[in-house]
Amino acid sequence: MNTTQGETTVPETVDPEAEYQQLSTELLRNTKIRRHRAAVQALVEERTILSMPAVQRALIVDSRKGQAAQLTELSGRQYALGLDEGQRKFLGLVLSMVGIGITTLASMEFDDRRLPIILRAILWLAGNDTIAVGTRT
């Protein structure tokens, strides 16, 4: 396309939802260990943690196959990521699922949004995809 004097090119707007979905898909595709995949899936579903730029800088590394999650990098940085208490507790439990740190379920106070995410992550960790987690009717 030729531009004449006086014309300006408008940069394409980035759709944050599409960008997040692409990142999520790539992270999950490049995570092969089941317990790590369960942890990444929980972070993808929880969304508020993984959407934070500080978390992305600490978690995501470039690999030969694209972006990948390096969960060990989050361990020592949990208190420097700008997370609120609920996010920090959720992240602590997710990291303990992969053997990083120790967080007990008894210390958790889950809201209605995060509880099903953790329950599904535990099922993925166990390799069970037959038990449904959701609201009873």
Side-chain angles (χ1 to χ4, degrees):
M1 175 173 132
N2 294 332
T3 56
T4 60
Q5 190 174 10
E7 283 185 40
T8 58
T9 57
V10 178
E12 290 184 32
T13 58
V14 176
D15 178 13
E17 180 61 28
E19 194 173 82
Y20 185 81
Q21 290 304 320
Q22 180 182 359
L23 173 65
S24 301
T25 301
E26 194 168 344
L27 291 177
L28 288 166
R29 184 182 63 237
N30 291 324
T31 304
K32 302 301 180 198
I33 300 169
R34 182 171 53 200
R35 65 179 191 256
H36 289 224
R37 188 174 175 85
V40 171
Q41 181 66 44
L43 291 174
V44 165
E45 282 192 43
E46 194 279 342
R47 191 179 193 113
T48 67
I49 297 170
L50 187 56
S51 293
M52 297 179 73
V55 172
Q56 290 181 9
R57 284 190 300 273
L59 173 68
I60 300 170
V61 295
D62 289 324
S63 71
R64 288 178 290 162
K65 296 180 180 181
Q67 295 179 317
Q70 181 131 10
L71 294 164
T72 55
E73 294 300 315
L74 290 178
S75 176
R77 299 182 185 182
Q78 288 182 60
Y79 293 94
L81 295 172
L83 303 175
D84 65 31
E85 185 178 355
Q87 290 170 322
R88 200 169 37 256
K89 286 182 176 183
F90 184 89
L91 179 59
L93 183 59
V94 167
L95 291 176
S96 71
M97 289 172 40
V98 297
I100 302 170
I102 299 172
T103 302
T104 63
L105 284 173
S107 68
M108 298 290 112
E109 296 175 16
F110 297 112
D111 58 19
D112 290 345
R113 188 178 70 80
R114 288 187 177 132
L115 178 60
I117 295 169
I118 286 297
L119 293 175
R120 280 190 294 273
I122 291 169
L123 291 172
W124 293 320
L125 189 61
N128 186 324
D129 61 356
T130 61
I131 298 175
V133 175
T135 305
R136 284 191 229 174
T137 56

